[in-house]
Amino acid sequence: MTSFLDPLISFVSANAWLAYLTLFLAALLEAVPVVGSVIPGSTIILALSALVPGGELKLQWVLLAAALGAVLGDGSAYWIGHRQQREILNTWPLTRYPRVVEESETFFHRFGAWAVFFARFVPPIRAFVPVTAGALGMEPARFYAINIPAILFWAPAHVLPGVLAVSAFHQYLGVPHEGHMGKHMWILTVIAAAILGGLGVWLYRRRQNGVGIAAAAKPPA
């Protein structure tokens, strides 16, 4: 694995713009309805943030790329809902996820405008609430007044755990930033944790979707 990490780290160091672009796209696609339920955006962001303490990526640009991607993704979904109104919730591909759409509507009715803030931290409805907010008539000014602060909290909450975990390896376990096997081990550990976490979320979503489909297909008594 270290033979793979050496060129990977060198590539990221020499092409940091591509890592920032990946962060931007991961955050953007995670906010797109349906697509966001299968793209492991949070896992990608966490894994790449592990490269910050070693200097391969800069924290401020990682945060900016993630935040801009989320703003554009949420905003695009909101405007689609805003223009097509409730009709969008009854069209493909949203009709393939009736349970999540229903949960998003329930979430929105329960928390009102603040659903836009809270949903940023609740997968998988994170990818459905912005379009739902637009479809249910939430005003643009109110949407952005809540969505942008939510993203300003969300971005550090996704980036800093990877950064802090790697920094803890350096500071408390005596792992050096540069030089030998230790450099690769902390990156490998954080990436592995991110992958396992993403896999767990994916399996949970599949299980929930399976339960919802089975319930919908069950004939009435």
Side-chain angles (χ1 to χ4, degrees):
M1 180 63 74
T2 55
S3 62
F4 168 75
L5 287 174
D6 272 325
L8 175 62
I9 295 170
S10 299
F11 180 80
V12 171
S13 299
N15 302 276
W17 66 271
L18 187 57
Y20 297 131
L21 177 61
T22 301
L23 284 161
F24 172 82
L25 292 175
L28 187 153
L29 293 175
E30 191 181 46
V32 175
V34 180
V35 176
S37 64
V38 295
I39 294 294
S42 296
T43 302
I44 295 171
I45 293 169
L46 177 61
L48 288 178
S49 70
L51 298 175
V52 171
E56 286 82 12
L57 299 177
K58 301 297 183 184
L59 178 60
Q60 64 270 31
W61 296 115
V62 169
L63 290 170
L64 182 63
L68 287 178
V71 168
L72 183 59
D74 282 359
S76 298
Y78 166 79
W79 280 107
I80 291 173
H82 185 70
R83 294 191 63 177
Q84 298 192 25
Q85 297 299 304
R86 194 176 182 85
E87 179 184 351
I88 188 64
L89 302 179
N90 300 314
T91 58
W92 186 90
L94 295 184
T95 50
R96 294 188 57 189
Y97 298 85
R99 184 184 60 81
V100 183
V101 171
E102 182 181 354
E103 287 180 356
S104 299
E105 286 195 66
T106 301
F107 194 81
F108 189 82
H109 288 307
R110 179 180 180 185
F111 295 103
W114 283 103
V116 174
F117 186 98
F118 297 135
R120 260 277 120 205
F121 305 89
V122 184
I125 64 171
R126 173 167 55 217
F128 289 82
V129 165
V131 69
T132 300
L136 297 182
M138 187 175 184
E139 292 297 321
R142 188 163 180 77
F143 173 80
Y144 284 109
I146 296 176
N147 178 247
I148 291 177
I151 290 171
L152 294 179
F153 278 96
W154 169 87
H158 277 64
V159 170
L160 294 182
V163 175
L164 295 175
V166 170
S167 297
F169 269 88
H170 297 318
Q171 184 173 355
Y172 298 109
L173 300 182
V175 178
H177 282 271
E178 304 290 342
H180 51 75
M181 187 69 173
K183 178 178 180 178
H184 307 294
M185 288 308 296
W186 55 256
I187 297 177
L188 180 59
T189 300
V190 173
I191 292 177
I195 292 173
L196 289 174
L199 179 61
V201 171
W202 180 77
L203 289 173
Y204 174 77
R205 290 176 182 174
R206 280 188 64 86
R207 180 178 178 276
Q208 291 296 102
N209 286 337
V211 170
I213 292 172
K218 184 178 180 180

